[in-house]
Amino acid sequence: MRTFRRWEGRYGAEGGDGLLDRRLDRVAGYRVPADTVTEVLELYDTIHGSFRM
């Protein structure tokens, strides 16, 4: 119910634009850098590559 009341209030104040997802314009603050992801995947392949199906 709380979420619906928030949406209702935003719709009343801003119209249809108030219902748009506001997170789409931002990058998550906990996002892992691409270099780190690449390094972890390479390490995984090196150590655990033979265990894949």
Side-chain angles (χ1 to χ4, degrees):
M1 287 300 289
R2 182 177 179 186
T3 300
F4 178 75
R5 285 193 299 261
R6 286 182 184 161
W7 288 350
E8 186 178 29
R10 279 196 267 169
Y11 183 76
E14 303 173 32
D17 290 339
L19 301 179
L20 296 175
D21 189 352
R22 296 174 182 184
R23 298 171 300 164
L24 296 178
D25 295 335
R26 299 184 214 151
V27 175
Y30 52 85
R31 188 175 185 174
V32 177
D35 295 340
T36 305
V37 172
T38 304
E39 183 180 353
V40 169
L41 291 175
E42 287 175 4
L43 287 170
Y44 181 85
D45 283 340
T46 303
I47 298 170
H48 301 291
S50 62
F51 295 112
R52 286 191 177 185
M53 299 176 107

